[in-house]
Amino acid sequence: MSRAAHPFLLAAPPDAAFPPAELALAEPNGLLAVGGDLTPVRLLNAYAGGIFPWFSEGQPILWWSPDPRMVFHTDGVHLSSRFRRALRASAWTVTADTAFAEVMQACASAPRPGQDGTWITAGMHRAYVELHRLGHAHSVEVFDGPQLVGGIYGVAIGRMFFGESMFSGRSGGSKVALAALAHVLHGWGWPLIDAQVENPHLLGMGAVHLPRDLFLARVRALVREAESPPGGSWTRRFGRWPAAVLAGGNAV
């Protein structure tokens, strides 16, 4: 254990400081604090410190910073050759911030192997929709005509994107959403997407481990940099474009 085997209890004011993420428990891996709330200021302070909330219905709010951390380099998202061949003939289109609440709801409803229920509670949904309204949370949507077939959402601070969840309504929908997000962020000069914790799907798409100390150093630098483009809705600057654009190479 890195310290006594219990998490910190957060102070009541929403702007109260988090303990340093380096003090998170070794078991369970990354548990740092308990309590607090999901107000915008609390959430933004958490992400800026390399911390995220993750808890189930009926639990207190739990805050985590695991070691190592799973991340994508924005020029390192991998799409298989077979998937790219299929994508060349796809009529899907990609947008941003046109259906944030719907993407969150689809992520909450998506079945997850080994999971019973969802950690995206009604309170989490309300909190991130509010962050989206304030211009800090964003979604990428994949459409087949008018039908939403994939998406991803997360939080942006400075030049750092913290991925929260993604879903596929059709096979490959989440892959397209993630690859499109990485493609655009790389063009904006944003180097990393936080993917939080390991799973085989993320590893297969090119996610890598960063030791927590290195991850925190990168995050603390990136969140202080001016967001380029500046905050607010991404709909116009992201545009609407064919998913087939992503079929051009191994990584986007």
Side-chain angles (χ1 to χ4, degrees), residues 132-189:
H132 172 66
R133 187 188 70 80
L134 295 171
H136 302 298
H138 303 280
S139 59
V140 171
E141 305 91 25
V142 184
F143 288 98
D144 183 3
Q147 184 175 7
L148 184 65
V149 296
I152 186 171
Y153 78 94
V155 176
I157 307 176
R159 287 198 304 121
M160 182 70 201
F161 190 87
F162 301 90
E164 272 296 313
S165 188
M166 57 186 182
F167 84 98
S168 290
R170 301 260 189 89
S171 178
S174 65
K175 293 181 181 180
V176 170
L178 174 61
L181 171 65
H183 177 73
V184 169
L185 291 182
H186 183 62
W188 290 352

Side-chain angles (χ1 to χ4, degrees), residues 225-250:
E225 296 182 11
E227 186 174 333
S228 178
S233 174
W234 285 1
T235 300
R236 180 173 295 181
R237 62 180 67 112
F238 192 99
R240 184 182 187 97
W241 41 275
V245 167
L246 301 169
N250 286 340

Side-chain angles (χ1 to χ4, degrees), residues 31-58:
L31 180 59
L32 175 68
V34 61
D37 51 48
L38 297 174
T39 56
V41 64
R42 180 96 67 179
L43 285 169
L44 293 173
N45 284 342
Y47 284 105
I51 302 158
F52 60 89
W54 185 28
F55 59 99
S56 299
E57 192 73 59

Side-chain angles (χ1 to χ4, degrees), residues 2-37:
S2 57
R3 59 180 181 83
H6 56 81
F8 290 93
L9 181 62
L10 291 182
D15 60 352
F18 279 85
E22 291 89 346
L23 299 179
L25 298 178
E27 182 60 40
N29 181 13
L31 180 59
L32 175 68
V34 61
D37 51 48

Side-chain angles (χ1 to χ4, degrees), residues 90-146:
S90 174
W92 291 359
T93 57
V94 185
T95 61
D97 285 349
T98 66
F100 183 89
E102 291 86 346
V103 168
M104 271 204 80
Q105 185 57 50
C107 289
S109 303
R112 313 282 180 183
Q115 290 187 22
D116 183 16
T118 179
W119 54 270
I120 305 175
T121 65
M124 288 281 277
H125 192 278
R126 288 191 299 271
Y128 284 81
V129 167
E130 176 64 7
L131 271 188
H132 172 66
R133 187 188 70 80
L134 295 171
H136 302 298
H138 303 280
S139 59
V140 171
E141 305 91 25
V142 184
F143 288 98
D144 183 3

